Amino acid sequence: MSNPRDVAVIVGSLRKGSFNRLMANALSALAPASLKLEIVELRELSMYDQDLDEKPPQPWVAFRDRIRRADALLFLTPEYNRSVPGMLKNAIDIGSRPYGKSAWNGKPGAVMSVTVGGQGAFGANHHLRQSLMYLNIPTMPQPEAYIGNAASLFDATGALSDEKMRETASRFIQAFAVWVEIHAKKS
Ligand code: FNR
């Protein structure tokens, strides 16, 4: 069997008990052998400042390199005030520059939004998709994944314990594996 596809997982929350991060861990465990998921940490990324692109901070360089190495991108985002958290948008901006050298370009992606709210963070999910379209990230259209009421889905150890949601998550990551094979650069 060939090497698994390297999937860079971007989680739009810095919170210790983040439900988005717990979901990323669940997707990693449910993923088929053709995918290897790894969370890319965003905490060290300072605010994007175009003046710094002449001599970018080391965490920007490491982040851009990590994204360039990836075969595919999986985004998990909460919703903050009906949009994506600022730190996630900041990471997207850092990866997109310098102009003409975007690390995101052409890599297949997918979005799952996770919130304690009842509407599945639809607003954040679609604001994020807007940026991903612009960045030429072919983003899986279906199945969509707007996950609400997240606090009821995980057990005390942080495992995804809701059986119906495990099936939904499993279908999502299986579909993503197919999407990645269609769109990943041939190696
Ligand atoms: C929120 N939250 C929230 N939820 C939602 O469904 N729609 C929203 O617009 C907002 N707005 C919002 C703003 C701010 C500043 C915070 C801190 C929170 C709730 C949020 O989605 C919820 O706390 C998620 O659980 C956060 O994701 P993690 O940290 O659990 O991954």
Side-chain angles (χ1 to χ4, degrees):
M1 203 182 84
S2 54
N3 286 339
R5 297 288 189 185
D6 172 18
V7 181
V9 182
I10 314 291
V11 177
S13 172
L14 300 176
R15 202 170 69 80
K16 269 204 297 290
S18 163
F19 294 119
N20 282 275
R21 183 175 279 260
L22 294 182
M23 186 62 87
N25 293 339
L27 289 170
S28 180
L30 291 167
S34 65
L35 300 181
K36 184 170 183 305
L37 276 58
E38 184 185 84
I39 294 177
V40 180
E41 299 299 341
L42 309 183
R43 186 175 290 279
E44 302 300 321
L45 298 175
S46 57
M47 285 302 286
Y48 181 71
D49 173 350
Q50 199 171 350
D51 289 339
L52 300 186
D53 261 337
E54 283 171 26
K55 202 170 174 295
Q58 195 279 332
W60 294 15
V61 175
F63 179 71
R64 287 166 174 165
D65 286 349
R66 176 65 189 92
I67 299 302
R68 279 203 185 89
R69 280 202 309 278
D71 298 308
L73 309 162
L74 178 58
F75 293 85
L76 287 105
T77 186
E79 182 169 79
Y80 281 7
N81 303 309
R82 294 286 182 257
S83 188
V84 294
M87 47 76 76
L88 174 55
K89 182 59 166 55
N90 186 52
I92 289 170
D93 295 341
I94 289 170
S96 73
R97 291 281 159 154
Y99 182 75
K101 295 193 176 148
S102 169
W104 307 111
N105 188 33
K107 294 179 193 288
V111 177
M112 179 180 277
S113 51
V114 181
T115 174
V116 297
Q119 292 168 337
F122 177 89
N125 190 309
H126 279 257
H127 277 184
L128 179 54
R129 282 173 183 271
Q130 179 168 315
S131 294
L132 303 191
M133 290 299 100
Y134 177 67
L135 291 167
N136 193 33
I137 295 172
T139 303
M140 184 169 74
Q142 294 287 346
E144 298 170 292
Y146 311 109
I147 312 300
N149 304 311
S152 66
L153 303 177
F154 300 90
D155 68 16
T157 70
L160 182 60
S161 50
D162 184 283
E163 206 41 53
K164 217 160 157 246
M165 189 52 65
R166 285 184 67 79
E167 283 167 27
T168 299
S170 182
R171 271 200 307 277
F172 177 87
I173 199 69
Q174 302 277 347
F176 185 50
V178 173
W179 184 256
V180 169
E181 283 319 305
I182 293 168
H183 293 277
K185 295 216 166 68
K186 304 292 172 221
S187 51

